[in-house]
Amino acid sequence: MTDSAPDLFEPLSLAHGPALKNRFALAPLTNLQSHGDGTLSDDEFKWLTYRAKGGFALTMTCASHVQRIGQGFPGQLGVFGNEHLPGLTRLAAQIKAYGSIAVVQLHHAGMRSPKELIGEAPVGPSDDEATGTRALSTAEVEQLIEDFIVAAERAETAGFDGVEIHGAHSYILCQFLSETLNRRTDRFGGSPENRARPILQIIDGIRARCGADFSLGLRLSPERFELKLMEIRELARRVLAEGKIDYLDLSLWDYAKLPLEEEYQDRTLMAWFTDLPRGKVRLGCAGKIMTPEDARLCLERGMDFVLLGRAAILHHDYPKLLATDAAFTPVKTPVTADHLRDEGLGPAMVKYMQGWKGFVEEPATEPA
């Protein structure tokens, strides 16, 4: 490790709210474990609080929808109504009791909301015949922005330390960022600045209406999903320069990869963001960070912290294991379903993991 790179167990302050006690955050992971109405289940409570107990400095929920029609998958945690407050309050309290920062990821699936799940046509920035998506009116976009802000206020009421805005993975805010998916002619379409307007107004609203000790993050996809790398880099430059968010979370797919756009392959995808002035805003990334060496390389290359997904599924106590054993390396996949159950995954999440190629061992078949 270079002299300038921080240690994985060095604390990291945020401009708003409590500091991270180390450089490990739990990535926001779909787990299908909550109830049909979006209320918290015991299985989702266990999955998340087990990671907080295991030493993650920041524990983030799955993508949690801010409107009923923004649901993207079954068993998704909701944050769109006061009926969610009891479960959210219980969850925030336990995450914080284990010394972890409690964060809700705010989400709306947009055109990726399955019609059979939400009971009506999905909505998005523009009509889309292939998915049956209906374009939002200008007033509905304004309501969408308001509902993200209200969901942040609800998370704050529940006791969470902060929220992250999900602007990645071709969910609704990411759809607005795409020139091909967003063909609007109002102030939310056209120029890159107009297409970023929903995200920027949500940031402004949360910062204005939540407390000074409430942290705010933003997740972006730098590429794929009908996005242009230079447009996302410019949005990242802007939010870093304005300093209204506390951290930018880059979903890189693979932290070591080159950009897909050939004209920018003279450096890694990550490097297109680490050179941007960031002031007090912290920069984190996710994407195939499995081993401690992967995590260290991310910090060496300019990241302030890392978000673990698959590695955190495999080891709820990844930070604690590494803190007590410098030679720790995560278990190899595929793992058994029993291993996942021992790591705090409920039946619905284990079944979901079994759909991930090569992640879970196939059960042995009885001889004929």
Side-chain angles (χ1 to χ4, degrees), residues 86-355:
L88 292 170
T89 302
R90 174 186 174 218
L91 179 60
Q94 192 59 60
I95 290 173
K96 290 160 72 171
Y98 287 131
S100 186
I101 297 171
V103 173
V104 177
Q105 190 189 55
L106 306 180
H107 165 262
H108 189 298
M111 60 193 294
R112 295 188 65 189
S113 293
K115 183 177 181 179
E116 63 272 16
L117 192 61
I118 63 173
E120 58 185 279
V123 297
S126 301
D127 291 328
D128 182 75
E129 187 177 347
T131 58
T133 296
R134 174 182 67 81
L136 293 167
S137 68
T138 299
E140 287 175 319
V141 179
E142 292 168 344
Q143 187 62 54
L144 174 72
I145 292 166
E146 174 66 11
D147 288 343
F148 267 91
I149 298 166
V150 169
E153 293 180 297
R154 186 171 290 116
E156 184 178 36
T157 298
F160 280 87
D161 295 303
V163 293
E164 177 180 87
I165 301 163
H166 197 337
H169 301 172
S170 204
Y171 293 123
I172 202 162
L173 298 178
C174 186
Q175 292 159 23
F176 270 91
L177 294 175
S178 166
E179 186 177 36
T180 53
L181 299 178
N182 179 356
R183 300 177 299 280
R184 302 179 70 88
T185 57
D186 63 3
R187 65 182 182 278
F188 299 111
S191 67
E193 181 169 1
N194 282 358
R195 287 183 269 122
R197 196 181 302 277
I199 286 176
L200 298 173
Q201 290 191 353
I202 291 166
I203 290 171
D204 285 344
I206 293 173
R207 193 47 79 210
R209 286 159 55 178
C210 291
D213 59 350
F214 193 69
S215 67
L216 176 57
L218 171 64
R219 171 166 266 208
L220 293 175
S221 293
E223 62 177 11
R224 305 172 74 230
F225 311 115
E226 308 288 337
L227 299 172
K228 293 180 178 179
L229 174 57
M230 287 302 108
E231 289 189 357
I232 302 303
R233 175 180 157 90
E234 173 56 24
L235 175 57
R237 186 205 61 75
R238 177 171 178 174
V239 296
L240 291 171
E242 290 181 350
K244 295 173 183 175
I245 62 170
D246 292 282
Y247 56 91
L248 179 61
D249 163 12
L250 296 172
S251 184
L252 298 177
W253 201 255
D254 178 343
Y255 78 89
K257 76 183 298 295
L258 295 176
L260 293 173
E261 296 176 56
E262 290 183 9
E263 60 266 45
Y264 304 120
Q265 290 180 352
D266 57 319
R267 50 177 150 157
T268 64
L269 185 59
M270 179 197 292
W272 282 103
F273 296 87
T274 52
D275 68 337
L276 295 171
R278 66 187 79 161
K280 293 183 179 180
V281 182
R282 306 307 190 180
L283 195 60
C285 71
K288 297 189 178 178
I289 304 169
M290 292 296 295
T291 67
E293 183 57 24
D294 292 331
R296 291 187 188 100
L297 280 172
C298 288
L299 298 194
E300 285 182 12
R301 294 173 185 177
M303 288 292 150
D304 295 308
F305 68 102
V306 293
L307 296 105
L308 300 189
R310 292 180 182 229
I313 295 170
L314 295 172
H315 297 284
H316 77 279
D317 52 353
Y318 190 111
K320 284 190 173 180
L321 290 170
L322 181 58
T324 56
D325 178 9
F328 163 72
T329 54
V331 65
K332 300 291 186 183
T333 54
V335 296
T336 65
D338 282 342
H339 174 87
L340 296 180
R341 285 187 277 268
D342 289 344
E343 291 298 325
L345 280 67
M349 191 173 182
V350 171
K351 185 177 180 181
Y352 178 51
M353 294 296 101
Q354 288 170 330

Side-chain angles (χ1 to χ4, degrees), residues 37-40 65 78-89 154:
D37 61 358
T39 55
L40 182 76
H65 48 314
V79 68
F80 60 85
N82 288 337
E83 65 269 29
H84 302 124
L85 274 172
L88 292 170
T89 302
R154 186 171 290 116

